[in-house]
Amino acid sequence: MSSPISPEKMKNSTARAPELSFPATIPALIAHSADHFAGNDFVVTVERTYTFQDAADASKVMAKRLIAEGIGKGTRVGMLCAQTYDWVVTFLAAARIGAFVIPFSSFYKPAELARGLRHGDVHTLIVPNQMLGHKMADFIVEALPELESQNGRKLRLTDAPYLRSVIILGPDSVPSWATAFDPSAPGDNSVSDTLLANIESAVTPSDLVVTIYTSGTTSDPKGVMHSQGSQVRHSGQIARLTGLTEKERVYAGMPFFWVGGLTTTLLPAMHSGSAVLCQERFESGEALDLLEQGNATRIIAWPTLRQRLQADPSFPDRDLSRIAAFPSNPNARHNSLGMTETSGPHTFPPAKETEGVPLEAFKGSFGAGLPFVQHRVVDPATGAPLPDGEVGELCVRGYSLMQGFYKLEREDVFDEDGWYHTGDHGTFRHGCFFFEGRFSEMIKSAGFNVSAREVETELERLPNIESSWVFGIPDADREELVVAGVLPLGEIDLDEVKETLAARLSSYKVPREIVLFTDDEVPLLATGKPDRRAILEIIRSKLAK
């Protein structure tokens, strides 16, 4: 693999993005991986191993079926699959024909799926027959009860007005409102290889390929839109920077429906020919079996998942000697900073330290900016650029940056010079960024982003709660713990509240602790609005008792 591009070479280059030997599109990446690594292991599960050629062939068969169903460039295809081979094949099939894919979280509850389908204006939803113990037809009906009154496969739903079809993968029979796709059956003969090739050749790097939903700072989900070019180029750069080769076997501990799984794990493997080890559902004993028997060499996962692996009773007896830095190297001097909006990491440990600067000066560093990604630290009040050493808001722009948020105008997302204001604050020293915290109300719990307002909205939907305030407080195991303060209208059963929330929200969003307030306990600002900062302090003090 080629070595990382130096910042000096980047500054002297006229290129604005990493160069590839093939077009920066998913169909070209699929062809590249099949041409160079056809027989290599690609997707490794507990039950079976699939090669790069297997994935290319299976996604080709499914792509033809999608074309026959009328799906093409720009069609908004939602998918709700677990961390399996089906996920990989479904994504590649839709992306290779230019569809705009929306991978929903496998943590979703039916109500969250309904909101995602509606907000994302999904045209076609693809799901497996069974997932994580759920029969998906029943799950979808719970999300969209109108389906039971539909007379055919061409849907007309008031709660999901753009949804026209639901495709269920598997050989089993499906309800009358769904279309069955058996992945093991032959492809659609009505779509020729020539037609598929012409469709793929019309896919361009500028085409939108994926919307990644990450909790926003309002009650609505935040749909981060990325192009084919940004995903293919950035995943290629990540493969180079991390020294990924076809000898590597990487455990995918981050979900494919977020950039940690898609852009920094799955797609880099297609550039390098490395294997991806994945589980439908994380279970520490099974994961350790997969790591051991699958000859894993790397783990890409949040620290909490690593901790769960190490806490498994069988961990001391496992042979994990092939895995680099397991557990993670405590002497590492740099971290990396990234977000969904930047396709994952936008800073990375530098190739070499600055000469003459003591190593102690880099303690707490989040690394240097990636090649072809620009950074600026500004005064959050005025937007004026700040010199190195002064703390302000970090702004980013460059090839890996999102195209925007779905349903927001560009002017509402980027400033007039094209910079995205991240909400992170910190400063640059010695060419490296030092992260100081976040300006937003986003909560980071066990690696997941949680929108405080989304949780507050669900709390305030309950008939016995007048107001609520949700925060993240520091926690040694989860980074931040989701907690809430609520002002009830009368008697309230907190266990019942948590149970109701658990039916509406992913488990990581449900507050671990809920503190009750009375009217006279709610501190107010001079404007008459609740003082969130003071409310947080009251919650902290009550939880400390």
Side-chain angles (χ1 to χ4, degrees):
M1 300 300 295
S2 59
S3 59
I5 305 170
S6 69
E8 292 78 12
K9 183 176 179 181
M10 172 200 163
K11 290 176 182 176
N12 295 328
S13 172
T14 58
R16 298 179 62 189
E19 297 177 359
L20 299 171
S21 61
F22 53 88
T25 66
I26 295 295
L29 180 58
I30 294 171
H32 166 83
S33 64
D35 288 345
H36 291 80
F37 318 114
N40 285 22
D41 292 352
F42 177 26
V43 178
V44 180
T45 69
V46 174
E47 298 83 15
R48 185 176 167 185
T49 295
Y50 303 86
T51 67
F52 284 94
Q53 191 64 59
D54 290 334
D57 293 343
S59 65
K60 178 180 179 179
V61 169
M62 182 177 283
K64 287 186 174 184
R65 292 181 181 174
L66 294 177
I67 294 168
E69 288 291 319
I71 294 169
K73 182 178 284 193
T75 305
R76 300 188 64 78
V77 175
M79 54 180 285
L80 180 56
C81 300
Q83 196 96 328
T84 62
Y85 183 59
D86 279 349
W87 196 105
V88 177
V89 171
T90 301
F91 175 81
L92 294 180
R96 70 187 290 169
I97 63 174
F100 191 13
V101 187
I102 306 167
F104 292 119
S105 167
S106 59
F107 297 106
Y108 270 6
K109 299 297 174 65
E112 292 173 301
L113 174 61
R115 290 196 295 272
L117 292 169
R118 186 166 54 250
H119 184 272
D121 300 324
V122 171
H123 177 278
T124 299
L125 175 65
I126 303 176
V127 300
N129 189 275
Q130 301 273 342
M131 187 184 82
L132 303 176
H134 297 287
K135 185 176 181 181
M136 292 308 292
D138 295 340
F139 187 94
I140 298 169
V141 167
E142 188 175 346
L144 301 171
E146 284 182 277
L147 283 171
E148 293 189 300
S149 64
Q150 295 293 296
N151 296 319
R153 297 190 298 117
K154 297 300 181 184
L155 307 178
R156 303 290 186 272
L157 305 174
T158 57
D159 286 340
Y162 283 93
L163 187 65
R164 293 292 171 266
S165 64
V166 174
I167 294 171
I168 298 181
L169 306 176
D172 299 335
S173 61
V174 300
S176 60
W177 46 262
T179 300
F181 270 23
D182 182 356
S184 62
D188 195 298
N189 293 327
S190 67
V191 178
S192 66
D193 286 351
T194 301
L195 176 56
L196 175 60
N198 286 343
I199 287 173
E200 290 182 333
S201 67
V203 176
T204 72
S206 65
D207 291 335
L208 295 173
V209 67
V210 68
T211 292
I212 302 289
Y213 273 106
T214 179
S215 295
T217 54
T218 68
S219 58
D220 287 329
K222 185 170 61 173
V224 181
M225 302 184 294
H226 285 293
S227 69
Q228 294 252 351
S230 71
Q231 291 301 287
V232 174
R233 290 192 181 100
H234 199 51
S235 57
Q237 174 155 226
I238 290 170
R240 288 194 299 272
L241 289 170
T242 58
L244 201 59
T245 72
E246 58 184 300
K247 295 181 180 180
E248 301 283 0
R249 302 176 69 82
V250 182
Y251 177 76
M254 292 190 177
F256 292 152
F257 51 77
W258 286 332
V259 294
L262 177 62
T263 320
T264 70
T265 308
L266 184 65
L267 296 183
M270 299 180 70
H271 286 273
S272 63
S274 56
V276 177
L277 284 58
C278 55
Q279 292 177 279
E280 180 178 20
R281 184 205 305 264
F282 176 79
E283 191 281 318
S284 60
E286 184 185 80
L288 289 167
D289 288 342
L290 186 59
L291 291 171
E292 203 170 20
Q293 298 164 17
N295 298 314
T297 60
R298 299 191 190 190
I299 295 176
I300 297 181
W302 292 300
T304 50
L305 187 142
R306 287 174 175 265
Q307 291 165 7
R308 290 173 66 183
L309 288 173
Q310 291 175 273
D312 188 274
S314 69
F315 181 81
D317 300 321
R318 301 287 188 163
D319 178 11
L320 304 176
S321 58
R322 292 173 295 273
I323 300 176
F326 187 85
S328 57
N329 180 6
N331 298 315
R333 291 186 297 273
H334 299 278
N335 205 324
S336 181
L337 192 62
M339 60 197 318
T340 305
E341 293 86 338
T342 58
S343 301
H346 54 83
T347 70
F348 200 78
K352 62 180 181 179
E353 307 292 4
T354 304
E355 293 182 9
V357 178
L359 295 181
E360 184 65 23
F362 292 102
K363 186 177 181 180
S365 158
F366 276 72
L370 264 65
F372 307 104
V373 177
Q374 297 174 292
H375 293 89
R376 172 185 286 178
V377 175
V378 303
D379 184 315
T382 66
L386 296 174
D388 287 0
E390 290 194 28
V391 174
E393 182 177 18
L394 181 65
C395 301
V396 182
R397 70 181 181 188
Y399 80 98
S400 67
L401 188 61
M402 63 178 171
Q403 299 299 300
F405 293 132
Y406 189 57
K407 293 188 173 177
L408 286 183
E409 293 185 277
R410 188 171 182 82
E411 292 74 18
D412 295 327
V413 179
F414 307 105
D415 69 20
E416 59 185 9
D417 294 319
W419 293 95
Y420 176 62
H421 294 243
T422 66
D424 294 332
H425 63 108
T427 186
F428 276 94
R429 296 196 301 269
H430 313 301
C432 292
F433 186 71
F434 290 79
F435 177 69
E436 300 288 344
R438 292 187 298 275
F439 286 111
S440 71
E441 293 177 3
M442 187 73 72
I443 301 166
K444 194 79 167 181
S445 182
F448 297 94
N449 286 329
V450 179
S451 161
R453 187 58 201 147
E454 180 184 10
V455 181
E456 289 168 357
T457 297
E458 290 301 327
L459 280 166
E460 290 164 9
R461 286 178 58 189
L462 301 179
N464 53 349
I465 292 179
E466 180 177 345
S467 302
S468 67
W469 308 275
V470 173
F471 304 94
I473 60 174
D475 180 74
D477 295 327
R478 304 180 68 84
E479 188 175 356
E480 287 186 299
L481 203 66
V482 181
V483 299
V486 299
L487 178 62
L489 291 171
E491 292 294 324
I492 187 171
D493 185 328
L494 293 182
D495 290 335
E496 191 175 297
V497 168
K498 290 181 180 180
E499 186 177 332
T500 303
L501 289 179
R504 297 179 179 178
L505 295 171
S506 300
S507 58
Y508 62 87
K509 300 176 184 178
V510 178
R512 295 300 180 97
E513 301 287 348
I514 299 177
V515 173
L516 297 179
F517 282 73
T518 61
D519 276 320
D520 57 359
E521 286 181 317
V522 179
L524 302 176
L525 298 167
T527 59
K529 294 181 179 180
D531 185 339
R532 292 184 63 90
R533 183 172 298 180
I535 290 171
L536 174 57
E537 291 308 312
I538 293 173
I539 291 174
R540 287 178 185 274
S541 64
K542 288 192 175 186
L543 292 178
K545 293 179 180 179

